[in-house]
Amino acid sequence: MTTSSSSVKVELLERTDGYVVATWRRLMLLVWRGQASVAGIERSRALCQPWAERQLGGAAFLIVVPRQRTGPPDEQTRAAMQRAASAPGSSLKGMATLIEAEGFIAASVRALMMRLQARGTQGPAPNIFRTTAEVAAWAATVLQDREVTPENLAEAIRVAREG
């Protein structure tokens, strides 16, 4: 299903109460609406592989963690995250996480995620970001796509979340 606003066109691949998997340009988005789950990780991984292979020039994957508080993932979810990070696929030019929350706890989580992800991944290095401007600069470079701007990326995330 395709949904759009005046500036972006987003394709919704899967939508549940807990997450949305969508694509915008050559960027796949896993937008969490709440607590991370095994189902969201495994479904986004299954949808990403064939989609990324069809993208001329490669694709990138972005996980968006919401502002609201969520607990740490359970053991099964952590294992699913590790499996996804250790085999990202050859079609992905990069993976990133946007943690929208602010403050000391969010900064600590970003630092911890960078250490954990750097240890267990193969393929493109994961990136952890605080703002859509940081993500957009990274994605525009990785994908060589000038249309990936902070404003357009923020709008794509909003459209996907509200999908």
Side-chain angles (χ1 to χ4, degrees), residues 3 135 154:
T3 186
V135 176

Side-chain angles (χ1 to χ4, degrees), residues 38 41 72-84 116:
V38 173
I41 294 162
D74 61 28
E75 190 174 321
Q76 293 84 7
T77 303
R78 284 193 306 273
M81 289 174 171
Q82 185 63 39
R83 285 190 303 274
L116 290 175

Side-chain angles (χ1 to χ4, degrees), residues 84-158:
S86 65
S90 60
S91 302
L92 282 182
K93 297 184 91 169
M95 294 174 50
T97 301
L98 169 61
I99 300 175
E100 295 180 319
E102 299 282 333
F104 176 77
I105 292 173
S108 299
V109 168
R110 281 189 288 277
L112 179 62
M113 285 182 69
M114 288 180 90
R115 273 187 267 142
L116 290 175
Q117 287 186 350
R119 246 191 302 177
T121 62
Q122 300 168 3
N127 298 279
I128 313 297
F129 296 106
R130 184 178 58 85
T131 67
T132 54
E134 294 169 343
V135 176
W138 166 81
T141 300
V142 166
L143 299 173
Q144 298 180 338
D145 185 345
R146 291 182 182 184
E147 296 296 316
V148 179
T149 65
E151 299 78 19
N152 286 345
L153 177 58
E155 182 66 4
I157 292 168
R158 184 194 67 75

